[in-house]
Amino acid sequence: MNAPFEPLLHALSHPHDVDPEETAEWREALLSLIGLQGPARARQILDELAVVARQQRTGWQPELNTPYMNTIAVEDQPDFPGDLATEERLVAIMRWNALAMVVRANQAYGELGGHIASYVSVADLFETGFHHFFHARTEQHKGDLVFFQPHSAPGVYARAFLEGRLSEADLMHYRQEITAPDSGARGLSSYPHPWLMPDFWQFPTGSMGLGPISSIYHARFMRYLTHRQLQDCSARKVWGVFGDGEMDEPESMSALTLAAREKLDNLVWVVNCNLQRLDGPVRGNGRIIDELEKLFAGAGWNVIKLVWGSDWDGLLARDTTGALLRAFANTVDGQMQTFAAKDGRYNRDNFFGQNEELARLVQGMTDEQIDRLKRGGHDIVKIHAAYAAAAAHRGQPTVILAHTKKGFGMGSAGQGKMTTHSQKKFDEQDLIDYRNRFDLPLSDEQAKGLAFYKPADDSAEMRYLREHRSRLGGSLPKRETVCDRLPVPTLSTYGQFALQADGKEMSTTMAFVRMLGNLLKDSTLGPRIVPIVADEARTFGMANLFKQVGIYSSVGQRYAPEDIGSVLSYREATDGQILEEGISEAGAIASWTAAATSYSVHGLAMLPFYIYYSMFGFQRVGDAIWAAADQRARGFLLGATSGRTTLGGEGLQHQDGSSHLVAATIPNCKAYDPAFAGELAVILDAGMREMVEQQADVFYYVTLMNENYAQPDLPAGAEADVLRGGYRLGAYGPSDAAQRVSLLGSGAILTEVVKAAQQLAAQGVGVEVLSITSWSELARDGMAQADKASHLAQLLSATQGPVIAATDYVRAVPESVRAFVPEGRRYTTLGTDGFGRSDTRAALRRFFAVDADSIAQTAWRALKA
């Protein structure tokens, strides 16, 4: 902080000083100390005084807010290493092409949407990063990770157009992904979507709040890779550009302390504080920058405020009375937005006209000069200084709070207006004004015609663009998928006990943990496995893995655990393999996504297994799972204690009856509900081979139970049918029975189906039992077969009589295959619709009518119908 401001700042924070003279002496003593011995000694003394103040119970603690001005003083700014004029011309071109893209699409169709105002507010923040900081992947540098503010995607496309990565025809098909190929063009997705543009976008950020939490866990995963000596990520950064309104999302804030606790100085957030959400001000009656400064500082982040541009430096230097800082302190964001929407004359009269001191500061300035006073997020020199400081900072993650104007440069068409987020159309005069505002080399006709502009290849601008990206490794964003193929050990080496269980009692969760432990021992695949839990490892019987592979900790283990003498004692280590994420499903799924996309983000195939209470997956963090699907994640999600009746005493909030219904809606998710350990072994083996050997962009959702029961051997030759969704488990009753029925069951209820079959068989009914390992795979198979018989139809063709299907999920799950039951066969579904209850498994199954007696009674009714 500049010394001339100190008296003013004191006056602002202590308006009722009982002894100003004594206060001045203390202040002068501190300034003298700083001058003679430097800031480090001053901090030491202040820390000591703070300790004394706390010991004396004064109730004092330092304010977390600093004045509404730039953190980096003018004299501390590094020399700007670029050509400012060229960079300003380039960013003007990006702004124009982004605007033209959106307006063209809406002139043509009127329904495609798109955003202009967000990008024009963030353009300088993006471009400074592109020119000077964002590294692409090379042999020497594995590349930075950049999370782009989603509503600003048109600006990234505009840059890719100048780089030659996209054509003019591509820009003309913004948000027209289906029709674009008919014109020989590439359709451009609305927001960053790796699934839709798999060579371009790296991270999906369109669902607000998921980008921030994902960036934190990606930064932490890079530390994990480094500490485990799998890949050196020490020279790489994670950059995230997010909106101030986006910070209201709970996911945006949920992992801030993790980033600070882990000292993730490889993480830099840039919050685009244009002060506006979709409908209006973010904090109309307050100041969002102040609020975020408190939040991030309190969470342990390094905070850099980037509030005012270089044009304000002279005004602040001349402001010897502190009039500007007082005015800033008393101006809320709603009023600041109004100032952004109005012209220089209005700001002269209503901001600088508040008192004579302010008015004197702008004497000699024209209205146009006042109108062009920049906020910090639009000043490339200031942005570079902030980015450089953030990149150099050590020991903490950094957030840059960049003050901008939403709709910057849009003038009366949208700058700072309440409606600017939805502004997608410009009249001809607005277009000409926009061209003039940014001094673009376009004729009136070109401007009115929304002509895209690209300088000549040998122009100074294009040379500058190419040279700077070349120094940083090439174009961004860019998604790469080249990685090593990992061999999977033969199933018999880790899962033979499950294939030939010989009636041993165990739960499928126990079988999974045993197989996982065996896989971790494999010298090739084992180190690439990432076990992830949300504080439930002991619940799932995984405590034995604590000793085997350890829990990852960036600082190792600085304590002797209470259970240190136990075989299953808690062990943390810098090279630990388990990611124990605490009670945070949002954090755990973000951690899983980081590992599941390592093959593309880092060129290093990893295989994450995230096990959790199934109710806390798709129902709780389904949007994050959908984003992982968009990012082409590869890994396993294990929904343990699954179904509505297996987790008996826990009741409504813990009992899952719908996760398989939701999982079926995600195209690249393969969902299985195995009842037996042998089925589970086949599914895990196939999934691993598909993801790390064949490198298919799929992920698996597999439900597990905590119920112990006898595990049969897997029937010989059943493997292929297990993967297709179902197989013939067995026949019961007389082979020549006059009455015959087919019973279908999955997961926890298959054992009830078998008991029902035995009851019916004892009464002379012939029963065929099919184990359904995946209802969704059966449904997909049926829809894909067209004129051919589906797998389910083929299985049922060898059976007779009515068909009864029972699951531990809502009836909509087995109902999903009704269309593929052979004609003429009565099909009845049983499930656990409604809310869960607390009781024993037996009572719950009776209540929901999915127990053996209910299944048998349903079969009798169907036989008599």
Side-chain angles (χ1 to χ4, degrees):
M1 187 66 60
N2 290 340
F5 292 116
E6 294 295 337
L8 165 67
L9 299 180
H10 172 78
L12 288 174
S13 56
H14 301 86
H16 306 296
D17 192 338
V18 296
D19 193 342
E21 187 174 336
E22 182 183 29
T23 303
E25 292 175 358
W26 279 93
R27 186 169 58 249
E28 288 166 8
L30 178 59
L31 291 172
S32 176
L33 177 66
I34 295 171
L36 291 173
Q37 299 189 46
R41 176 59 177 161
R43 287 195 298 270
Q44 185 180 16
I45 294 298
L46 289 170
D47 288 341
E48 181 64 26
L49 291 174
V51 170
V52 173
R54 283 194 294 271
Q55 289 172 342
Q56 297 302 311
R57 304 179 189 276
T58 62
W60 173 87
Q61 60 183 17
E63 283 287 334
L64 293 177
N65 273 137
T66 58
Y68 206 70
M69 58 191 297
N70 296 339
T71 301
I72 300 173
V74 179
E75 58 269 24
D76 294 330
Q77 286 179 201
D79 292 336
F80 181 66
D83 184 314
L84 183 59
T86 302
E87 291 194 26
E88 288 181 337
R89 287 197 300 274
L90 280 167
V91 77
I93 294 168
M94 308 298 181
R95 282 192 172 100
W96 173 262
N97 286 335
L99 176 147
M101 186 190 325
V102 175
V103 176
R104 270 177 174 270
N106 285 278
Q107 280 185 349
Y109 297 99
E111 63 185 79
L112 293 176
H115 303 279
I116 301 169
S118 293
Y119 174 66
V120 296
S121 74
V122 82
D124 299 289
L125 297 170
F126 275 14
E127 286 302 308
T128 304
F130 277 127
H131 286 309
H132 302 284
F133 294 95
F134 300 163
H135 286 267
R137 188 190 301 181
T138 64
E139 286 297 319
Q140 294 74 35
H141 193 292
K142 290 295 184 180
D144 293 334
L145 283 56
V146 186
F147 290 74
F148 292 98
Q149 190 177 4
H151 289 157
S152 300
V156 182
Y157 295 140
R159 165 170 269 270
F161 169 59
L162 260 61
E163 292 176 328
R165 301 172 66 199
L166 297 176
S167 68
E168 185 170 314
D170 297 334
L171 297 196
M172 292 178 69
H173 287 86
Y174 171 62
R175 293 194 173 195
Q176 299 161 65
E177 296 164 271
I178 297 171
T179 55
D182 295 337
S183 302
R186 176 178 192 172
L188 305 181
S189 62
S190 54
Y191 304 122
H193 292 302
W195 187 265
L196 300 173
M197 298 180 69
D199 62 335
F200 193 91
W201 292 116
Q202 194 170 38
F203 302 108
T205 54
S207 194
M208 302 258 248
L210 298 189
I213 191 172
S214 183
S215 71
I216 290 173
Y217 280 88
H218 271 284
R220 201 281 300 268
F221 189 70
M222 288 162 66
R223 288 287 174 82
Y224 172 87
L225 292 177
T226 300
H227 284 153
R228 292 194 55 220
Q229 298 183 6
L230 294 171
Q231 186 178 98
D232 183 2
C233 300
S234 57
R236 303 166 67 193
K237 292 283 186 183
V238 178
W239 298 84
V241 186
F242 309 116
D244 49 357
E246 187 175 4
M247 293 300 106
D248 285 345
E249 291 283 4
E251 292 89 351
S252 297
M253 300 289 99
S254 65
L256 294 187
T257 54
L258 170 83
R261 183 173 70 248
E262 295 292 304
K263 296 180 172 57
L264 297 180
D265 51 22
N266 61 341
L267 177 65
V268 179
W269 279 13
V270 182
V271 181
N272 176 25
C273 297
N274 60 33
L275 315 186
Q276 288 185 249
R277 289 184 293 218
L278 279 64
D279 292 335
V282 176
R283 293 291 183 275
N285 295 304
R287 285 199 297 275
I288 187 62
I289 290 179
D290 286 350
E291 182 179 322
L292 293 178
E293 181 183 24
K294 278 187 178 181
L295 179 67
F296 281 93
W301 287 52
N302 174 44
V303 180
I304 296 175
K305 287 164 69 172
L306 174 58
V307 187
W308 306 114
S310 300
D311 293 340
W312 289 88
D313 289 339
L315 295 176
L316 286 163
R318 294 199 302 272
D319 180 27
T320 56
T321 64
L324 264 181
L325 287 183
R326 284 195 298 273
F328 293 154
N330 293 318
T331 304
V332 295
D333 283 355
Q335 189 61 48
M336 196 68 76
Q337 179 190 342
T338 300
F339 292 143
K342 302 297 184 180
D343 60 14
R345 169 53 61 179
Y346 180 92
N347 283 295
R348 180 190 296 278
D349 294 341
N350 293 275
F351 180 76
F352 292 105
Q354 294 179 71
N355 55 60
E356 290 184 7
E357 293 169 301
L358 286 174
R360 280 197 298 270
L361 287 177
V362 292
Q363 283 179 352
M365 292 181 67
T366 66
D367 290 345
E368 183 180 5
Q369 287 174 319
I370 292 174
D371 190 45
R372 287 185 174 243
L373 285 169
K374 288 182 179 177
R375 295 182 180 178
H378 299 305
D379 188 310
I380 293 171
V381 173
K382 297 288 188 184
I383 296 168
H384 180 273
Y387 282 16
H393 189 74
R394 295 292 176 265
Q396 294 172 287
T398 293
V399 62
I400 297 169
L401 303 176
H403 195 195
T404 65
K405 292 181 182 179
K406 193 161 190 175
F408 178 65
M410 289 169 64
S412 60
Q415 180 171 287
K417 292 186 177 295
M418 295 292 187
T419 57
T420 191
H421 190 82
S422 302
Q423 186 69 35
K424 300 167 182 65
K425 296 181 180 179
F426 280 59
D427 63 30
E428 291 184 348
Q429 188 56 50
D430 290 332
L431 292 169
I432 290 173
D433 289 345
Y434 192 86
R435 177 208 60 188
N436 294 342
R437 170 66 179 82
F438 293 108
D439 195 23
L440 289 155
L442 297 167
S443 67
D444 286 359
E445 290 308 308
Q446 287 175 318
K448 290 186 287 188
L450 292 165
F452 293 117
Y453 177 69
K454 187 175 185 179
D457 277 349
D458 62 351
S459 65
E461 293 87 352
M462 294 297 282
R463 290 199 307 271
Y464 190 91
L465 184 86
R466 289 191 297 266
E467 288 169 5
H468 278 71
R469 283 316 309 164
S470 177
R471 291 176 196 166
L472 291 169
S475 296
L476 281 177
K478 183 179 181 182
R479 183 176 177 274
E480 301 182 48
T481 59
V482 176
C483 72
D484 52 330
R485 296 177 185 273
L486 288 177
V488 175
T490 58
L491 178 52
S492 60
T493 62
Y494 66 89
Q496 190 65 30
F497 75 92
L499 297 172
Q500 296 180 339
D502 195 27
K504 292 185 179 68
E505 284 205 356
M506 69 180 84
S507 68
T508 51
T509 298
M510 185 188 305
F512 162 72
V513 173
R514 184 172 169 184
M515 282 187 272
L516 180 63
N518 290 340
L519 285 166
L520 286 165
K521 295 173 185 175
D522 183 78
S523 60
T524 303
L525 180 64
R528 303 292 188 90
I529 289 174
V530 185
I532 302 172
V533 288
D535 197 46
E536 293 156 343
R538 295 185 193 277
T539 302
F540 303 135
M542 296 173 66
N544 61 305
L545 298 182
F546 294 166
K547 275 287 184 70
Q548 181 179 339
V549 295
I551 299 161
Y552 171 69
S553 166
S554 61
V555 297
Q557 189 159 13
R558 296 176 173 177
Y559 60 94
E562 170 274 330
D563 57 356
I564 193 169
S566 166
V567 175
L568 305 180
S569 64
Y570 204 77
R571 183 175 78 87
E572 298 186 68
T574 54
D575 61 350
Q577 200 158 344
I578 300 169
L579 290 174
E580 218 285 13
E581 302 299 5
I583 305 174
S584 172
E585 287 83 7
I589 195 66
S591 188
W592 179 84
T593 302
T597 57
S598 176
Y599 74 94
S600 65
V601 176
H602 308 295
L604 184 73
M606 302 294 287
L607 186 62
F609 290 84
Y610 169 32
I611 184 170
Y612 56 89
Y613 276 45
S614 65
M615 187 64 171
F616 304 145
F618 288 88
Q619 295 88 335
R620 185 160 189 162
V621 291
D623 194 18
I625 296 175
W626 186 260
D630 187 354
Q631 201 175 331
R632 298 173 174 255
R634 300 172 184 172
F636 287 92
L637 297 175
L638 291 307
T641 61
S642 64
R644 189 148 280 164
T645 68
T646 59
L647 196 59
E650 293 287 346
L652 183 153
Q653 200 69 21
H654 286 62
Q655 293 171 346
D656 166 30
S658 57
S659 66
H660 274 283
L661 192 63
V662 183
T665 67
I666 300 180
N668 54 338
C669 174
K670 292 190 173 184
Y672 289 91
D673 186 31
F676 299 129
E679 300 170 357
L680 173 62
V682 168
I683 292 164
L684 292 180
D685 187 70
M688 289 189 291
R689 295 185 190 283
E690 188 171 13
M691 289 184 278
V692 301
E693 284 189 344
Q694 302 166 26
Q695 298 195 353
D697 293 343
V698 297
F699 66 98
Y700 278 54
Y701 174 57
V702 185
T703 40
L704 306 173
M705 279 79 69
N706 63 338
E707 183 178 1
N708 292 321
Y709 46 75
Q711 299 285 340
D713 293 350
L714 186 72
E719 291 85 357
D721 283 354
V722 167
L723 298 175
R724 292 188 71 181
Y727 67 97
R728 181 180 181 272
L729 181 64
Y732 300 82
S735 59
D736 59 349
Q739 292 181 303
R740 308 195 67 80
V741 67
S742 298
L743 302 183
L744 281 60
S746 70
I749 301 305
L750 183 57
T751 55
E752 298 293 328
V753 167
V754 171
K755 291 175 188 175
Q758 292 167 342
Q759 288 182 24
L760 291 166
Q763 297 171 21
V765 179
V767 186
E768 290 280 348
V769 174
L770 301 184
S771 174
I772 304 302
T773 52
S774 176
W775 299 97
S776 55
E777 287 301 296
L778 284 180
R780 289 172 180 175
D781 171 82
M783 289 184 284
Q785 293 304 320
D787 297 332
K788 297 179 181 179
S790 68
H791 180 57
L792 179 60
Q794 292 176 37
L795 289 172
L796 290 173
S797 66
T799 69
Q800 299 174 26
V803 181
I804 314 298
T807 80
D808 214 11
Y809 297 89
V810 294
R811 289 178 56 231
V813 173
E815 282 290 336
S816 65
V817 302
R818 177 179 289 276
F820 313 113
V821 175
E823 289 187 25
R825 303 284 294 275
R826 183 182 180 89
Y827 183 60
T828 305
T829 57
L830 301 175
T832 54
D833 292 62
F835 288 116
R837 302 287 193 280
S838 295
D839 216 307
T840 64
R841 292 186 183 118
L844 287 167
R845 288 167 185 169
R846 284 196 304 271
F847 176 80
F848 286 110
V850 291
D851 63 329
D853 291 344
S854 299
I855 295 168
Q857 291 166 15
T858 301
W860 275 116
R861 286 194 295 270
L863 287 166
K864 294 174 181 177

